[in-house]
Amino acid sequence: MLRKIRIITASVIMVLITALLLDFTGILHHWLGWLAKVQFLPALLACNVVIVGALLLLTLIMGRIYCSVICPLGIMQDVISWFAGKRRKNRFTYSGEKRVLRLVMLGVMVVALISGAHVIVALLAPYSSYGRIVNSLLQPLYLWGNNLLASIAAHYESYAFYGTDVWMKSVTVTAVAAITLVVLGILAWRNGRTYCNTICPVGTVLGYVAKFSLLKVRFDADKCKSCSLCSRNCKASCIDYKSHTVDYSRCVTCGDCLEKCNFGALHYGPARKISGKKKDATKAEATHDEVRRAVLMGGAIVAAGAVTAQVNKKVDGGLAAIADKKEPKRSTPLTPPGSHGARNMAAHCTACQLCVAQCPNGVLRPSKGLKTLMQPTMNYDRGFCRPECTRCSEVCPTGAIRKIAPSEKSSLQIGHAVWVKENCLPAWNGTSCGNCARHCPSGAIMMVPLDENDENSPMVPVVNVERCTGCGSCEYVCPSRPFSAIYVEGHEQHRTI
């Protein structure tokens, strides 16, 4: 019963977290956003004392149940290991704890968090690793399927689905996600929970807390026949049947060993004295205790619950082929409204890609810079940051993007627009334009004569830096190609205007 409750609960949480990471409509966030916020490292970085405390308390009561029921990366490894078990049964053996390696990896994580070495944090964070895998590898397939359904529905004059663009946001992140999946897949296929019990810093922290847990898998030496089935089916390789001991720092409370033991030599519960003179409990009593503990576990889990040559310029309109826009070289990268600036982003973001996946305007994508690798940055080639949209601040589980209201966002300056004369159509060929001024939601751009002494001079934009919020509307609608004639330069520290 313990194992069945664990599998059902883990399956539900796995499906819901995956759906949250795949969702591009923003609908599921209102119902499932809490699943991202109850992950241990995001909650820790968000300084969410309640969640962190609840997870530690859960571990003190039930052991490392978080790793097998709440952590999506851990559940994914269990799924891979389960498929491997269909080919080869009883394939595990007991192995000693790699304590030095675990402590070294934990130390690396702590140092990276303190020093701001974001790349290391992003690579080691388990929830973020799973988020990258889903967002980079699975979401394109999901979106293609959605677009197919939208096409079929449109054929029958139904609008139950709507199509969306499918594009690769970052080659780097996709490569990292693919490598992570392959490495974890191989480790899980061959040795079950190797990654969780040697590399994962969250697993190490919770593992040492689990040593003091109230409920544990315990041996009844009088009943043990030394058949070794428990050791050969422990994916954490933490059960030594010869000495009747369990390494609780690695045990993830999966319940596999309890199911495999044919002699009742293992039980999950508080410490108790076992005497050979005592009679065995009746089958009904044993079942009752098992159900009671399983219900307790389920209840506890739920609760925790540029510039180029003019001859090469291509412009929008007419029958000419339209070149794709290229991102300008910004001296300071743009970070989302609510992040307060680059420093806060670097200190809290684990690059889980949830905000990138949820951005409805196609503005957020993973950074390519080494210092901010895989963290969200802003680009306006596919859209602009609409004043009324605060989706990224709503979904961020770590506090890297703090929740803001639309009214607050409209007065928040994340950058300012910069005009590049060499790229501007009116400046180099006298074409009348004014797109940037017409579409600026804050009225920060006005058109003035290029030559104030010539009444026939073309009109070019002038930016009022004090009013500009850096939303990127001007950059997005600018028809100049491949580089916009106006672009947004980011601010290291955001400010209210």
Side-chain angles (χ1 to χ4, degrees):
M1 183 64 70
L2 174 67
R3 181 173 179 270
K4 291 179 180 178
I5 292 292
R6 191 265 305 173
I7 291 176
I8 293 173
T9 309
S11 299
V12 171
I13 289 181
M14 178 77 162
V15 170
L16 294 180
I17 289 181
T18 304
L20 176 65
L21 291 165
L22 290 175
D23 179 45
F24 62 93
T25 64
I27 297 175
L28 292 182
H29 165 71
H30 298 287
W31 303 97
L32 305 177
W34 61 272
L35 286 171
K37 296 179 180 180
V38 300
Q39 302 301 315
F40 186 82
L41 189 57
L44 185 64
L45 292 175
C47 299
N48 194 326
V49 178
V50 174
I51 296 298
V52 174
L55 293 177
L56 292 176
L57 181 60
L58 179 66
T59 305
L60 280 172
I61 296 174
M62 309 185 70
R64 279 178 62 183
I65 198 73
Y66 167 90
C67 298
S68 60
V69 176
I70 301 177
C71 177
L73 196 69
I75 302 173
M76 183 191 78
Q77 292 174 81
D78 283 348
V79 172
I80 296 173
S81 180
W82 180 79
F83 279 108
K86 293 294 183 180
R87 295 173 56 89
R88 181 186 171 190
K89 299 183 181 299
N90 304 323
R91 69 191 193 280
F92 301 118
T93 58
Y94 171 76
S95 63
E97 178 193 4
K98 306 296 187 293
R99 182 177 300 178
V100 174
L101 178 58
R102 297 179 75 183
L103 293 176
V104 167
M105 296 310 301
L106 178 59
V108 168
M109 185 66 162
V110 172
V111 171
L113 285 170
I114 295 174
S115 64
H118 151 75
V119 177
I120 297 176
V121 175
L123 291 175
L124 292 179
Y127 168 71
S128 299
S129 296
Y130 185 75
R132 287 191 295 272
I133 291 173
V134 173
N135 184 253
S136 300
L137 305 179
L138 188 56
Q139 192 186 55
L141 300 177
Y142 175 79
L143 295 180
W144 279 323
N146 171 82
N147 290 349
L148 178 61
L149 289 176
S151 177
I152 296 174
H155 178 74
Y156 291 99
E157 298 183 354
S158 171
Y159 298 94
F161 300 91
Y162 64 90
T164 186
D165 291 338
V166 183
W167 52 290
M168 183 180 293
K169 299 179 179 69
S170 171
V171 175
T172 303
V173 174
T174 302
V176 170
I179 294 172
T180 302
L181 179 60
V182 170
V183 171
L184 291 181
I186 294 175
L187 290 175
W189 185 273
R190 297 182 60 184
N191 301 303
R193 286 280 187 148
T194 299
Y195 174 83
C196 297
N197 288 329
T198 56
I199 303 298
C200 180
V202 174
T204 299
V205 171
L206 295 181
Y208 287 116
V209 173
K211 286 186 174 184
F212 308 97
S213 63
L214 174 63
L215 306 179
K216 298 176 180 178
V217 174
R218 305 179 190 273
F219 268 95
D220 184 343
D222 292 337
K223 295 180 180 180
C224 181
K225 307 300 181 182
S226 297
C227 67
S228 78
L229 279 178
C230 55
S231 294
R232 289 188 289 162
N233 285 276
C234 177
K235 54 178 171 278
S237 300
C238 68
I239 300 179
D240 185 0
Y241 75 95
K242 295 180 181 180
S243 62
H244 301 141
T245 58
V246 179
D247 183 353
Y248 298 115
S249 73
R250 292 185 290 155
C251 176
V252 293
T253 321
C254 65
D256 290 354
C257 57
L258 303 178
E259 183 183 74
K260 293 297 179 180
C261 182
N262 298 319
F263 307 103
L266 291 171
H267 74 278
Y268 176 70
R272 67 185 183 185
K273 293 182 179 180
I274 304 296
S275 173
K277 296 180 180 180
K278 291 184 178 181
K279 294 182 179 180
D280 294 342
T282 62
K283 185 176 182 179
E285 291 174 337
T287 302
H288 175 72
D289 289 342
E290 190 176 356
V291 171
R292 185 176 61 184
R293 287 192 293 268
V295 171
L296 175 63
M297 183 192 73
I301 291 169
V302 172
V307 177
T308 55
Q310 293 181 5
V311 295
N312 291 327
K313 293 181 183 284
K314 295 183 179 180
V315 300
D316 199 352
L319 300 177
I322 303 174
D324 291 334
K325 277 196 175 185
K326 293 183 179 180
E327 183 178 6
K329 294 183 179 180
R330 311 183 203 272
S331 300
T332 304
L334 287 158
T335 57
S339 64
H340 299 304
R343 179 174 296 181
N344 181 72
M345 177 67 73
H348 292 86
C349 181
T350 61
C352 71
Q353 309 302 307
L354 183 56
C355 60
V356 176
Q358 291 278 317
C359 180
N361 305 310
V363 170
L364 295 181
R365 71 274 318 270
S367 172
K368 301 175 184 177
L370 182 59
K371 291 184 179 180
T372 59
L373 186 66
M374 299 186 293
Q375 286 187 345
T377 188
M378 304 174 75
N379 194 357
Y380 301 128
D381 58 347
R382 290 178 173 267
F384 68 97
C385 193
R386 297 184 179 273
E388 73 278 5
C389 178
T390 58
R391 182 86 59 82
C392 59
S393 74
E394 295 170 356
V395 303
C396 179
T398 67
I401 310 174
R402 303 189 183 276
K403 191 171 182 178
I404 57 174
S407 58
E408 183 182 359
K409 181 181 178 181
S410 63
S411 61
L412 195 63
Q413 187 180 65
I414 65 172
H416 65 276
V418 177
W419 178 56
V420 182
K421 178 181 178 180
E422 292 82 358
N423 292 345
C424 191
L425 300 181
W428 63 267
N429 71 357
T431 303
S432 178
C433 182
N435 266 6
C436 52
R438 285 195 299 270
H439 291 86
C440 179
S442 59
I445 302 176
M446 63 180 296
M447 304 300 290
V448 299
L450 179 61
D451 185 354
E452 60 182 11
N453 297 319
D454 182 3
E455 61 180 11
N456 296 319
S457 177
M459 306 292 284
V460 296
V462 170
V463 180
N464 183 345
V465 176
E466 295 301 318
R467 296 186 63 178
C468 179
T469 62
C471 71
S473 173
C474 55
E475 182 178 330
Y476 172 61
V477 301
C478 179
S480 183
R481 295 294 191 278
F483 294 103
S484 293
I486 191 166
Y487 75 97
V488 179
E489 187 64 63
H491 289 176
E492 284 281 355
Q493 187 69 32
H494 300 172
R495 68 187 184 95
T496 302
I497 56 175

